[in-house]
Amino acid sequence: NMYGVVFELSHEQAQQLDGFEGPNYERRILKVSIDGCTSEAYAYIALPSAVDFTLRPYPWYRAFVLDGALLNRLPAGYVDFIRRYPPSRILTQ
């Protein structure tokens, strides 16, 4: 399973997000379950050529993801996984 949060965006906002995600991601339509109902949502998936499992997130980014998981009440096991995931030793981008 994968956990996340679904947001409603305008066409203009979606275009802006496309620009932020850049060439290393592909926007795909996924089936998602929201309160037991299946729907479709866009997700940005990293291209295989852009994935490097030796990299770690910046501490500020991991904190941002953790805050979002807590705020949106994602499952405790997933929140604990984020907490335990080691950040980069580099502090800023």
Side-chain angles (χ1 to χ4, degrees):
N1 287 338
M2 180 185 306
Y3 301 100
V5 180
V6 176
F7 294 93
E8 185 173 347
L9 302 176
S10 70
H11 178 71
E12 291 79 18
Q13 289 169 321
Q15 286 182 317
Q16 283 183 322
L17 191 54
D18 285 345
F20 292 139
E21 293 301 336
N24 292 323
Y25 291 86
E26 175 181 78
R27 183 167 37 147
R28 295 188 193 164
I29 297 175
L30 301 179
K31 292 200 181 298
V32 296
S33 177
I34 302 170
D35 295 330
C37 297
T38 301
S39 188
E40 291 183 341
Y42 289 111
Y44 289 87
I45 309 296
L47 298 175
S49 61
V51 176
D52 183 346
F53 290 104
T54 65
L55 297 177
R56 297 287 179 236
Y58 293 110
W60 64 264
Y61 185 76
R62 188 185 71 163
F64 180 71
V65 172
L66 180 59
D67 288 347
L70 291 166
L71 179 67
N72 290 285
R73 295 185 226 137
L74 296 185
Y78 186 64
V79 170
D80 288 340
F81 170 78
I82 297 168
R83 275 195 182 108
R84 290 190 315 269
Y85 201 85
S88 167
R89 293 176 189 236
I90 299 170
L91 300 179
T92 61
Q93 184 172 5

